[in-house]
Amino acid sequence: MKISIITVSYNSERTIEQTIQSVINQDYCQLEYIIIDGKSTDNTGNIIEKYIEYISCYVSERDEGIYDAFNKGIEKATGEIIGFINSDDILAPGTLNYISKNFNSNTDVMFGNIIYFDDKIEKYKILRKADPKLRKIQYEMTPSIFHPATFIKKNAYKKFGSYNKQIKLAADWELLLRFYTQGANFYYVNQTLAYFRGGGASSGRLNCNFRIEDFNEYKQILFQYSNNKLKNYFYYYKKVLFGYSVYILRKFGIAKKIKKIINKNKYVEIKD
């Protein structure tokens, strides 16, 4: 089974080498590795060139944002299964072999667990499990499903569509929600498939800068896919309140201490 892994990058010199190594060290012979770079201005391109012999397709050009880059990767991909590992995340060892053995013909979307880590805080990591039943996916993406630990059939993109590049922060959630509501077959595996580094596009922007227009984007998706107005407003204001609270706590340096206390029993160490 041919699997396409897509890495999207822009000015990622600090983390992309670790990402690339996690992919090319998978020991999976039917790997197609695609890197879509947004014309980085730092050392990202030179790092990518170091590994060019392991990369099936490398594009470096300006794009219209991360979801436009995602779509470029999907168009280039020739594998039966497509996964995204962004330039600050890590593909867990053995993931591709595991997917190849467990991805059955009836599945459109396979999803598993991640290990969340933040190398600015501590050396320990937090295991986060997806929800096998996707009970809250219509109201919030996490903790239902995690994008780096989600692998989708190429044919499913052809059937249900690709990323809506007009959405700036939550197009990954909108895509999975669209797949879910239109009848795609989701299959959960209780397996860690990826490591997710804190501080990505959506988490960093929503939690640090608190732009109400970003939450309005979330609100539009809610009401597009759910007719339950009461629940929609509940989850919308819950997200706004949480985002504003995190913004205040981070502004005064309290968030890290609270986060450590809450998650003190969830640490697992990643062995090199």
Side-chain angles (χ1 to χ4, degrees):
M1 177 184 290
K2 188 176 184 180
I3 302 176
S4 299
I5 297 297
I6 301 167
T7 293
V8 169
S9 65
Y10 180 70
N11 287 352
S12 307
E13 62 180 7
R14 189 177 67 86
T15 58
I16 194 169
E17 188 160 24
Q18 190 178 21
T19 301
I20 292 173
Q21 290 175 351
S22 77
V23 176
I24 65 177
N25 290 335
Q26 285 289 308
D27 191 26
Y28 186 76
C29 61
Q30 296 188 69
L31 164 66
E32 177 183 57
Y33 191 27
I34 299 168
I35 297 182
I36 308 294
D37 180 69
K39 205 71 175 175
S40 291
T41 57
D42 63 359
N43 198 42
T44 297
N46 292 330
I47 296 171
I48 294 171
E49 291 289 346
K50 283 174 55 179
Y51 299 93
I52 201 68
E53 64 181 293
Y54 303 103
I55 299 168
S56 309
C57 176
Y58 169 41
V59 176
S60 183
E61 61 186 20
R62 296 188 184 279
D63 53 52
E64 299 176 39
I66 189 170
Y67 299 116
D68 181 38
F70 280 3
N71 287 340
K72 288 181 182 180
I74 293 170
E75 290 174 6
K76 298 285 186 184
T78 62
E80 298 172 61
I81 310 299
I82 298 174
F84 285 90
I85 294 294
N86 288 340
S87 57
D88 49 1
D89 299 331
I90 299 170
L91 193 62
T95 289
L96 299 189
N97 278 305
Y98 183 88
I99 291 169
S100 177
K101 292 175 183 177
N102 292 278
F103 209 114
N104 62 60
S105 59
N106 296 322
T107 298
D108 294 307
V109 181
M110 175 184 282
F111 65 106
N113 308 325
I114 63 167
I115 289 178
Y116 176 95
F117 69 104
D118 189 335
D119 47 20
K120 294 180 181 178
I121 299 177
E122 73 277 298
K123 66 179 181 178
Y124 292 99
K125 327 299 174 187
I126 302 164
L127 175 64
R128 300 190 67 183
K129 291 191 173 185
D131 177 8
K133 296 183 179 180
L134 298 172
R135 285 165 290 195
K136 293 183 179 180
I137 194 171
Q138 287 183 282
Y139 304 104
E140 53 190 357
M141 182 169 175
T142 55
S144 295
I145 190 168
F146 305 104
H147 190 251
T150 301
F151 296 82
I152 301 175
K153 275 184 180 174
K154 171 83 171 183
N155 286 338
Y157 284 110
K158 293 179 180 178
K159 182 177 181 180
F160 302 108
S162 55
Y163 293 88
N164 182 348
K165 63 183 183 181
Q166 303 305 316
I167 301 173
K168 302 305 180 185
L169 286 176
D172 46 357
W173 175 46
E174 189 277 334
L175 178 134
L176 292 167
L177 189 50
R178 187 187 339 132
F179 279 36
Y180 180 78
T181 56
Q182 293 183 15
N185 187 9
F186 284 69
Y187 175 52
Y188 168 74
V189 292
N190 188 18
Q191 178 80 7
T192 298
L193 302 178
Y195 303 145
F196 176 78
R197 181 182 269 109
S202 57
S203 63
R205 188 172 178 185
L206 285 178
N207 292 340
C208 294
N209 299 326
F210 194 76
R211 292 162 48 94
I212 195 64
E213 52 264 44
D214 297 334
F215 291 95
N216 287 338
E217 179 181 279
Y218 167 77
K219 182 180 179 181
Q220 290 172 3
I221 297 171
L222 268 178
F223 280 85
Q224 180 181 352
Y225 290 99
S226 172
N227 294 321
N228 191 326
K229 291 185 178 181
L230 184 62
K231 276 193 173 182
N232 290 348
Y233 278 114
F234 171 79
Y235 279 97
Y236 169 67
Y237 286 113
K238 172 187 172 185
K239 192 172 187 71
V240 171
L241 180 61
F242 177 79
Y244 185 69
S245 299
V246 171
Y247 165 72
I248 293 298
L249 291 173
R250 286 192 172 187
K251 186 176 181 180
F252 293 99
I254 304 171
K256 290 181 181 179
K257 295 179 181 179
I258 295 176
K259 184 177 178 182
K260 189 171 183 179
I261 293 171
I262 293 174
N263 294 304
K264 65 180 180 180
N265 296 319
K266 298 182 182 179
Y267 291 149
V268 292
E269 187 171 4
I270 296 178
K271 297 180 180 179
D272 297 328

